[in-house]
């Protein structure tokens, strides 16, 4: 911003600097939002506003909200048309899915696809967010749902993702408030998958 304000730069350089400002502002907004949400969750002041929603609409909204992060990652969605409505806080579940999509985009090479699949199993809605990246590193996958734990981005390029390791911890707490679970594991065909299990009823 200082360079843009003080220098007589060509238009192309000004555009690049302006884009950097926008990108960093969005990154800072995500960091602040995550910090505030974690504070609210830990203090017990994060209140769910549940209602009956079609899962497909929530997934579609999350993809739209992640549009910029998914620019180089095609997303495929497989949700059966007969999946029943689920009793959730739509905004909170949207936030969980946005964090998972952001995480997948940040830790997989460009142009690799991300898959979202949903199905019904024993009165629970299962939502899988899978990628085709390097997969999870060795160790207990549960550690990635702890605060301030971060995975390594592709090629160890730490500049490609400016998170502080709160996104998955927030996902875990929001899903548990819904009396559900979230897990992570490596896929047989390669990549990682994060699985959300939610009761479809009004618990």
């Amino acid at each position: 911003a200082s360079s843009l304000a003080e220098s007589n730069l060509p238009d192309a350089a000004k555009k690049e600097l302006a884009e950097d400002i926008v990108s960093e502002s969005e990154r800072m907004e995500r960091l602040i939002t995550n910090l505030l949400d974690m504070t609210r969750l830990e203090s017990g002041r994060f209140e769910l506003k549940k209602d009956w929603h079609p899962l497909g609409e929530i997934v579609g909204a999350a993809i739209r909200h992640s549009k910029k992060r998914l620019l180089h990652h095609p997303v495929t969605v497989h949700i059966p048309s007969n999946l029943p409505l689920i009793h959730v806080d739509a905004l909170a579940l949207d936030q969980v899915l946005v964090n998972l999509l952001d995480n997948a985009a940040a830790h997989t090479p460009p142009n690799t696809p991300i898959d979202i699949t949903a199905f019904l199993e024993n009165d629970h809605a299962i939502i899988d967010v899978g990628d085709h990246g390097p997969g999870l590193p060795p160790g207990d996958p549960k550690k990635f749902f702890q605060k301030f734990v971060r995975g390594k981005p592709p090629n160890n390029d730490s500049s490609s993702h400016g998170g502080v390791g709160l996104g998955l911890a927030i996902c875990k707490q929001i899903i548990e408030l819904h009396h559900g679970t979230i897990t992570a594991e490596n896929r047989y065909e390669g990549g990682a998958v994060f699985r959300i299990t939610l009761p479809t009823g009004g618990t």
Side-chain angles (χ1 to χ4, degrees):
S2 298
S3 298
L4 190 61
E6 297 173 4
S7 303
N8 294 320
L9 298 170
D11 289 344
K14 289 180 180 179
K15 183 176 185 296
E16 184 177 356
L17 285 171
E19 290 173 348
D20 286 343
I21 293 169
V22 172
S23 177
E24 287 301 304
S25 298
E26 291 173 344
R27 183 180 72 88
M28 186 63 66
E29 181 182 16
R30 290 196 302 272
L31 291 176
I32 293 171
T33 299
N34 278 343
L35 287 167
L36 291 173
D37 284 343
M38 180 56 69
T39 300
R40 290 167 59 208
L41 284 162
E42 291 186 332
S43 67
R45 298 177 63 184
F46 194 103
E47 296 182 4
L48 297 180
K49 297 179 180 179
K50 291 185 178 182
D51 205 342
W52 295 97
H53 298 278
L55 179 58
E57 290 185 4
I58 300 175
V59 169
I63 293 172
R64 291 193 299 273
H65 296 155
S66 306
K67 184 177 179 180
K68 288 185 178 180
R69 294 291 293 171
L70 298 174
L71 189 61
H72 301 293
H73 292 273
V75 179
T76 59
V77 179
H78 303 280
I79 299 177
S81 58
N82 61 347
L83 194 73
L85 300 178
I86 56 175
H87 195 249
V88 296
D89 183 321
L91 291 177
L93 184 56
D94 172 277
Q95 182 180 359
V96 169
L97 293 172
V98 167
N99 274 338
L100 292 179
L101 290 169
D102 182 82
N103 185 72
H107 295 94
T108 57
N111 302 315
T112 55
I114 297 171
D115 309 315
I116 302 177
T117 305
F119 56 94
L120 193 65
E121 185 178 89
N122 298 327
D123 295 325
H124 284 74
I126 312 297
I127 310 164
D128 286 346
V129 179
D131 63 53
H132 295 260
L136 302 174
D140 186 356
K142 293 179 182 177
K143 68 182 180 182
F144 293 107
F145 296 100
Q146 299 172 1
K147 291 186 298 181
F148 308 119
V149 174
R150 297 177 58 196
K152 292 183 179 180
N155 303 318
N156 294 325
D157 180 11
S158 59
S159 64
S160 67
H161 185 56
V164 294
L166 287 177
L168 292 179
I170 289 171
C171 290
K172 181 176 183 290
Q173 294 210 34
I174 290 176
I175 294 302
E176 288 180 349
L177 282 176
H178 282 86
H179 305 288
T181 60
I182 181 169
T183 59
E185 62 182 21
N186 285 319
R187 305 203 298 181
Y188 176 78
E189 64 271 31
V193 60
F194 288 81
R195 170 165 291 190
I196 298 168
T197 302
L198 291 169
T200 56
T203 56

